[in-house]
Amino acid sequence: MYDQIKNTALFNMDETIANEIFEDTTYPWEVLSKIKDFLPKLGESLSEEEYDHPQEEVWIAKSAKIAPNVTIAGSCIIGKNTEVRPGAFIRGNAIVGENCVVGNSTELKNVLLFNNVQVPHYNYVGDSILGYKSHMGAGSITSNVKSDKTNVTIRYQGEVIETGLRKMGAILGNYVEIGCNSVLNPGSIIGSNSNVYPLSMIRGFVPKGSIYKRQGEIVSKKLD
C-alpha cells in the first residue's frame, strides 16, 4: 500500500550515516519525530579521528569546510567534505550528509540530508528529508506548517493520509531537482529522478521520473 511513498522507494540507504533511523519505519514522515533523540546517539558513535566535537550535541567532520560566520544554534552533525557557506543558520536537529553544500543564508531545522545534497542559496529547509543528490534551486523553500495550524496530511493518488504531525515540510527522493523560488507546501513528496520547474507551488505527491510544470500539468520523462 502506498508503495511510491515508502522509504525504500524514495531513498538510497547506503548514502547516509543515519540509515539506522529508518529501522522500524515505513514512511518518511515517521522518521521526522525521531531525529532529535537519534542525533546525539549517532554523534557519540562517530570517530574522534574524523569528527570534531566543539560543543554539546554538535559534531563536525574534520574535512568539512565551515565559514566563520555560520550560526549553529542547536544539535547537528555535519558530514565529511561538506561545505557550509557564509550566513548559514543551523537551528538544530540537523543531520547533514557527506559532500553536501549548505549555502549562504540557508536555514536548516529538524532535517536529514543524505549525501551529496545541495541547498546552496537562500533556502529554508524545515522538518524535511532530502534524498541522495537532490538539489534545491536558489530561493526554494519547504513550508512546514499549515496556515490553519492543523496536522499535515499527504495527498496521494486521490487519498488523504494522516501524518499526525503539526510540522512537516517536504520529502525529496534521490536525484530530485527543485527549480528556483519554488514553494513546497506542507506534506509534499517528490519522487526520485523528478524535476520541478522554477516558481512552482507544489502540494501533494509528484511521481518518480516526472517533470512538474505547473499544478495539473505533470509529465513523465524518459529515464535511462
Side-chain angles (χ1 to χ4, degrees):
M1 192 174 186
Y2 309 141
D3 287 345
Q4 295 186 64
I5 53 175
K6 290 182 177 179
N7 295 324
T8 51
L10 293 164
F11 307 124
N12 180 350
M13 298 304 175
D14 294 330
E15 294 294 344
T16 176
I17 60 172
N19 52 18
E20 290 183 9
I21 198 173
F22 292 90
E23 293 179 358
D24 302 319
T25 68
T26 302
Y27 303 106
W29 57 89
E30 297 172 329
V31 175
L32 294 174
S33 61
K34 299 174 64 175
I35 295 175
K36 180 178 180 180
D37 292 332
F38 177 82
L39 190 155
K41 296 176 183 176
L42 175 60
E44 293 293 348
S45 72
L46 297 175
S47 167
E48 294 183 0
E49 295 181 357
E50 296 178 317
Y51 284 82
D52 290 324
H53 185 25
Q55 62 194 66
E56 185 177 4
E57 296 194 355
V58 172
W59 292 266
I60 301 174
K62 295 180 186 293
S63 59
K65 182 179 179 181
I66 311 297
N69 58 343
V70 168
T71 299
I72 298 177
S75 59
C76 71
I77 294 172
I78 298 174
K80 300 174 185 176
N81 302 307
T82 282
E83 180 182 4
V84 184
R85 294 174 176 169
F89 178 27
I90 300 177
R91 286 171 55 189
N93 302 330
I95 301 174
V96 181
E98 301 178 1
N99 303 300
C100 292
V101 175
V102 179
N104 59 301
S105 303
T106 290
E107 180 178 348
L108 302 180
K109 174 254 180 186
N110 198 55
V111 296
L112 196 166
L113 275 54
F114 277 65
N115 297 339
N116 295 84
V117 167
Q118 294 193 353
V119 283
H121 311 284
Y122 307 105
N123 305 113
Y124 172 69
V125 187
D127 300 285
S128 300
I129 302 175
L130 309 188
Y132 175 61
K133 283 195 174 181
S134 58
H135 170 260
M136 295 184 66
S140 59
I141 66 170
T142 65
S143 175
N144 61 338
V145 180
K146 294 172 64 176
S147 59
D148 62 5
K149 306 301 188 291
T150 58
N151 286 349
V152 176
T153 57
I154 309 295
R155 298 183 182 185
Y156 176 74
Q157 297 183 345
E159 296 190 45
V160 176
I161 304 170
E162 299 288 342
T163 67
L165 301 174
R166 192 176 71 84
K167 293 186 178 182
M168 177 184 171
I171 307 297
L172 307 187
N174 303 321
Y175 303 104
V176 166
E177 291 281 343
I178 303 296
C180 295
N181 290 322
S182 293
V183 176
L184 307 178
N185 281 288
S188 297
I189 300 180
I190 316 298
S192 299
N193 296 285
S194 288
N195 293 62
V196 171
Y197 272 19
L199 300 174
S200 294
M201 185 181 70
I202 304 290
R203 186 180 302 278
F205 170 66
V206 176
K208 70 176 183 178
S210 296
I211 300 173
Y212 182 101
K213 297 185 175 182
R214 60 184 62 86
Q215 192 72 35
E217 187 176 357
I218 304 174
V219 299
S220 296
K221 65 179 184 179
K222 293 181 180 180
L223 297 177
D224 294 332

